[in-house]
Amino acid sequence: MADWKDTSRNAQPLGSVPRAGGDVAGRVSYDEGLRSHMLSIYNYMTSGVLLTGIVALLFVNSPLFALAFNVVETPGGAFAQPTGLGWLITLSPLAVMLFWWFGAARASTGALQVAFWAFTVLFGLSLSTIFVTYTGASIATAFFAAAAAFAGLSLFGYTTKKDISAWGSFLIMGLVGLIAASIINIFVASGPLSFVISVLGVLIFAGLTAWDTQRLKDEYQYVRGTEMAGRAVIFGALNLYLDFINLFLHLLRLLGNRE
């Protein structure tokens, strides 16, 4: 039996990238497939961000918001104090994340799609409190700044010839430290620590945006033409969605003006 090296000139084995200067038709086919794959990821991610924003706007202007959160005015600005329902809404995205952590490996593509849209909706409900805390101008400024930064960083991750895979371990360690510092700051409520967390958050999620983009691009060679391709799109969209949302939130905390 002939092995994959003996396949016809136009056939490309799964899990490989056509060599430059080799099979031109195979290279073109691979590049077209890669663009389609990444475009699907970006479409899902962008739709998720838009859905989150729409849900947040609708919820904060609905009567249900007053049942979930009490708006408290302080000298430092307003903030939304959650009721029992509010805590349920605030923590509800974690329930979906538990599914991603422990059940996604066995779930079908359809189940992953449902989980993705459910997460973006629930996150929109919990994110609605920013409209009470920050001015509309601040939210818009942070959003467009995050969008511009995300686009540039993702383009860098997609086009750079430099292997940035080594960034991953440092970024993940930084993310763990960021989460730990954020938990500590819940109890100490330190202004300077909040500033440091916001600055580090912007840097970490900026790096993760570029790193995730290159990782997803490289991953395509292993999933193309397989049943894993559809699942990879959903996983990739969730990663980039979280990169963008966290980049936006840290920019908002860093630059935003409170109501």
Side-chain angles (χ1 to χ4, degrees), residues 12 36 56 60 62 74 96 98 102 107 113-114 122 149 158 174 187 207 209:
Q12 289 297 331
S36 177
V60 76
S62 73
T74 69
V96 182
L98 289 174
F102 299 110
Q113 291 173 330
V114 172
L122 293 175
Y158 188 85
F187 300 99
T209 297

Side-chain angles (χ1 to χ4, degrees), residues 9-259:
R9 185 173 183 275
N10 291 326
Q12 289 297 331
L14 300 179
S16 68
V17 180
R19 290 188 297 271
D23 186 352
V24 176
R27 179 78 253 183
V28 171
S29 176
Y30 181 90
D31 289 343
E32 289 177 350
L34 174 61
R35 283 194 291 271
S36 177
H37 178 76
M38 294 300 293
L39 184 60
S40 295
I41 292 175
Y42 286 123
N43 284 340
Y44 263 99
M45 173 261 174
T46 304
S47 299
V49 170
L50 290 176
L51 181 58
T52 294
I54 291 170
V55 169
L57 272 172
L58 292 176
F59 184 62
V60 76
N61 290 299
S62 73
L64 291 176
F65 185 83
L67 298 176
F69 298 96
N70 297 317
V71 178
V72 180
E73 301 285 348
T74 69
F79 70 94
Q81 186 177 57
T83 63
L85 177 60
W87 279 115
L88 181 63
I89 290 172
T90 300
L91 298 176
S92 60
L94 291 176
V96 182
M97 288 308 298
L98 289 174
F99 164 79
W100 284 101
W101 291 331
F102 299 110
R106 299 182 300 275
S108 65
T109 302
L112 292 178
Q113 291 173 330
V114 172
F116 176 79
W117 297 120
F119 181 78
T120 60
V121 169
L122 293 175
F123 206 89
L125 296 177
S126 63
L127 201 65
S128 61
T129 57
I130 66 172
F131 292 101
V132 173
T133 306
Y134 297 95
T135 64
S138 293
I139 294 171
T141 299
F143 179 84
F144 287 114
F150 180 90
L153 291 160
S154 192
L155 180 63
F156 167 76
Y158 188 85
T159 60
T160 184
K161 302 300 183 182
K162 180 180 180 180
D163 181 8
I164 60 174
S165 59
W167 292 12
S169 57
F170 295 102
L171 290 169
I172 296 302
M173 286 190 295
L175 181 58
V176 171
L178 189 70
I179 293 172
S182 299
I183 293 173
I184 292 171
N185 204 40
I186 291 175
F187 300 99
V188 301
S190 168
L193 181 56
S194 295
F195 177 80
V196 171
I197 289 172
S198 296
V199 172
L200 291 177
V202 170
L203 295 175
I204 289 171
F205 284 103
L208 282 171
T209 297
W211 179 71
D212 273 328
T213 301
Q214 186 178 84
R215 179 180 59 81
L216 294 172
K217 178 185 176 182
D218 293 342
E219 181 185 73
Y220 173 70
Q221 64 179 298
Y222 302 106
V223 301
R224 69 189 184 102
T226 72
E227 61 181 13
M228 287 297 297
R231 296 165 56 83
V233 167
I234 308 301
F235 277 108
L238 179 65
N239 277 291
L240 292 183
Y241 169 91
L242 290 172
D243 290 340
F244 176 84
I245 291 294
N246 281 286
L247 182 61
F248 161 67
L249 288 175
H250 284 291
L251 280 171
L252 181 61
R253 291 164 187 155
L254 190 62
L255 306 173
N257 294 319
R258 290 183 170 271
E259 290 280 8

